[in-house]
């Protein structure tokens, strides 16, 4: 039995026992209020909407409120950290590593590093800017003919399919995936592609810095250990070695940061790639799992109504309509809008047209 139901049941038994012993001694004018109180407890006990989950939500409501306030107020701090850390890595790459590339690598490798590094940087900056400044999409607040699947009790408006309420933004979001504190914005219908592309290209950029700077990191790490001992005996060379130490520490800082981010963000990017392949968001992943378990008990198989096939899900996500769009809309900066308006998802005819692409 659920905890809430157990507590209510015990309270009713106590009141019933007290009522039996004191019914004969209780004045007639107090019997009606006591009966009314017992009726209130019975209404709570037999209310199908009152369960352990509701009680737990009420208890944890102050915690949720505190998390929402902290996330809302610290959103700009997270954005500043992303910009500051990315800028520091770019500064080290251009000031410390680029001169070494120009001096040591051949012309072919030099052109590869310059072109690839700058392409990755442009893609990261473009998609992060678009992800933070593009509204995710909101359901209409006025009465309209758009079909809806539920009703938001907080916004007091109908919710279309795939829409969910964000407690931090205090509004409903079209095709909501999650609220990202590093963007200080919700990830929804209109900026989901920017968010994923930013994660993807930032992971590729960090992997590029980590792999290409591995030998420099080893040399810098060993050089710092040797020079720290050597400085004890040669204090007159402090200025020269101090510059060298700053160079080596910068290389170590860049390698450690990019390696850590490439692992952590790479795992997140891979998870979102799996979700895109299945045609679902992070929230829908949990909902679909529950629905699949519920139907499995009945001997049925659940099918995601918003999945159009693995390849077509990627084409719908990136807005690919022809082969050239893989270059112009995926590998190059593009501000095109996603398919549909986020209110309805009847794009089945599009599925047949996109298969040959």
């Amino acid at each position: 039995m659920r905890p809430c139901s157990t507590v209510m049941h015990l309270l009713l038994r106590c009141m019933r026992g007290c009522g039996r012993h004191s019914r004969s001694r209780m004045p007639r004018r107090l019997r009606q209020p006591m009966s009314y109180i017992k009726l209130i407890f019975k209404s709570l006990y037999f209310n199908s909407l009152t369960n352990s989950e509701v009680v737990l939500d009420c208890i944890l409501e102050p915690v949720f409120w505190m998390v929402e306030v902290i996330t809302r107020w610290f959103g700009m701090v997270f954005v500043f950290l992303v910009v500051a850390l990315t800028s520091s890595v770019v500064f080290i790459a251009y000031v410390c590593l680029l001169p070494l590339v120009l001096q040591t690598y051949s012309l072919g490798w030099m052109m590869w590093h310059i072109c690839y590094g700058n392409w990755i940087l442009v893609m990261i900056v473009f998609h992060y800017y678009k992800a933070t400044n593009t509204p995710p999409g909101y359901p209409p607040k006025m009465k309209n003919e758009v079909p809806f699947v539920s009703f938001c009790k907080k916004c007091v408006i109908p919710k279309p399919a795939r829409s969910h309420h964000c407690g931090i933004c205090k509004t409903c979001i079209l095709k909501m995936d999650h609220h990202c504190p590093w963007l200080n914005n919700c990830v929804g219908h209109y900026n989901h592609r920017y968010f994923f592309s930013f994660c993807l290209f930032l992971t590729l950029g960090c992997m590029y810095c980590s792999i290409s700077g591995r030998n420099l990191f080893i040399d810098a790490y060993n050089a710092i250990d040797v020079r720290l001992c050597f400085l004890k005996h040669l204090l007159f060379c402090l200025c020269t070695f101090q510059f060298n130490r700053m160079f080596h520490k910068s290389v170590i800082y860049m390698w450690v940061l990019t390696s850590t981010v490439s692992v952590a963000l790479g795992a997140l990017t891979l998870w979102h790639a799996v979700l895109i392949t299945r045609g679902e968001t992070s929230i829908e992943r949990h909902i679909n799992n529950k629905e699949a378990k519920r139907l499995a008990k009945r001997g049925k198989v659940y099918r995601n109504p918003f999945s159009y096939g693995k390849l077509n899900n990627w084409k719908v996500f990136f807005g690919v309509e022809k082969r050239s769009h893989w270059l112009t809309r995926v590998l190059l900066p593009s501000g095109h809008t996603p398919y549909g308006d986020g209110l309805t998802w009847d794009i089945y005819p599009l599925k047949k047209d996109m298969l040959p692409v």
Side-chain angles (χ1 to χ4, degrees):
M1 187 177 292
R2 295 175 178 176
C4 180
S5 302
T6 304
V7 174
M8 293 297 182
H9 186 65
L10 292 175
L11 288 174
L12 283 175
R13 290 184 62 181
C14 293
M15 293 184 62
R16 190 179 298 113
C18 295
R20 288 175 181 175
H21 293 291
S22 60
R23 185 174 298 174
S24 57
R25 295 177 296 175
M26 184 181 298
R28 182 174 298 179
R29 60 182 180 182
L30 295 179
R31 291 180 185 176
Q32 186 175 0
M34 287 300 299
S35 300
Y36 181 69
I37 294 175
K38 289 172 62 177
L39 179 63
I40 293 176
F41 275 98
K42 286 183 178 181
S43 65
L44 293 175
Y45 177 75
F46 290 105
N47 188 358
S48 60
L49 299 178
T50 304
N51 51 36
S52 59
E53 295 181 359
V54 175
V55 175
L56 185 62
D57 289 341
C58 294
I59 295 175
L60 296 179
E61 185 65 27
V63 179
F64 296 151
W65 176 82
M66 185 177 300
V67 172
E68 293 174 0
V69 171
I70 293 175
T71 306
R72 190 181 304 113
W73 281 99
F74 279 83
M76 295 303 298
V77 176
F78 290 137
V79 172
F80 173 78
L81 286 177
V82 173
V83 175
L85 294 177
T86 305
S87 301
S88 65
V89 172
V90 173
F91 177 81
I92 295 173
Y94 274 94
V95 175
C96 299
L97 303 184
L98 184 60
L100 294 178
V101 171
L102 298 177
Q103 294 175 4
T104 58
Y105 286 94
S106 61
L107 180 61
W109 278 108
M110 182 176 63
M111 294 302 298
W112 155 255
H113 282 288
I114 294 177
C115 294
Y116 182 81
N118 285 280
W119 170 69
I120 284 289
L121 178 60
V122 170
M123 297 298 286
I124 291 173
V125 173
F126 172 79
H127 286 104
Y128 186 73
Y129 174 80
K130 296 293 288 186
T132 54
N133 290 274
T134 302
Y138 312 103
K141 299 185 180 299
M142 304 299 294
K143 185 177 179 180
N144 53 73
E145 301 299 328
V146 176
F148 60 94
V149 296
S150 61
F151 194 84
C152 181
K153 298 179 181 179
K154 297 181 179 180
C155 294
V156 197
I157 59 173
K159 288 198 302 184
R162 315 186 79 176
S163 298
H164 301 279
H165 184 85
C166 177
I168 299 175
C169 296
K170 300 298 182 182
T171 185
C172 288
I173 306 297
L174 297 178
K175 191 194 167 188
M176 179 178 176
D177 188 272
H178 69 287
H179 184 93
C180 182
W182 300 103
L183 301 178
N184 194 28
N185 195 9
C186 264
V187 178
H189 177 63
Y190 289 101
N191 64 346
H192 194 182
R193 178 177 64 88
Y194 298 129
F195 164 77
F196 177 78
S197 297
F198 164 72
C199 294
L200 175 63
F201 288 108
L202 185 59
T203 301
L204 294 177
C206 291
M207 292 176 62
Y208 164 73
C209 293
S210 177
I211 295 173
S212 61
R214 177 178 176 275
N215 294 331
L216 287 174
F217 164 75
I218 296 176
D219 295 339
Y221 184 81
N222 295 330
I224 285 182
D225 291 340
V226 173
R227 286 191 170 88
L228 281 176
C229 299
F230 195 59
L231 280 174
K232 296 179 181 179
H233 306 285
L234 298 175
L235 296 177
F236 62 90
C237 298
L238 180 62
C239 295
T240 304
F241 283 112
Q242 188 70 21
F243 174 79
N244 292 334
R245 286 179 60 193
M246 289 299 300
F247 172 82
H248 294 307
K249 286 183 178 180
S250 300
V251 173
I252 294 175
Y253 160 79
M254 184 194 71
W255 189 87
V256 172
L257 178 62
T258 54
S259 300
T260 305
V261 173
S262 62
V263 174
L265 189 60
L268 178 65
T269 305
L270 182 61
W271 166 247
H272 278 279
V274 173
L275 295 178
I276 295 171
T277 304
R278 296 175 176 176
E280 56 188 10
T281 62
S282 301
I283 298 177
E284 292 171 353
R285 175 62 176 169
H286 300 286
I287 298 175
N288 293 343
N289 284 340
K290 292 182 179 179
E291 191 68 14
K293 294 178 181 179
R294 185 182 68 86
L295 293 180
K297 295 179 180 179
R298 301 181 181 180
K300 300 180 180 180
V301 179
Y302 174 76
R303 298 186 181 277
N304 182 13
F306 307 113
S307 177
Y308 307 99
K310 296 180 180 180
L311 182 58
N312 284 330
N313 287 335
W314 282 99
K315 293 175 181 177
V316 171
F317 180 79
F318 282 118
V320 175
E321 299 177 352
K322 51 186 179 180
R323 288 186 176 88
S324 61
H325 284 171
W326 290 108
L327 173 63
T328 59
R329 293 190 173 186
V330 179
L331 299 179
L332 293 176
S334 176
H336 66 279
T337 57
Y339 283 119
D341 53 4
L343 301 175
T344 58
W345 297 95
D346 187 15
I347 57 175
Y348 181 76
L350 183 64
K351 176 181 177 180
K352 295 181 180 179
D353 298 336
M354 293 180 63
L355 284 176
V357 179

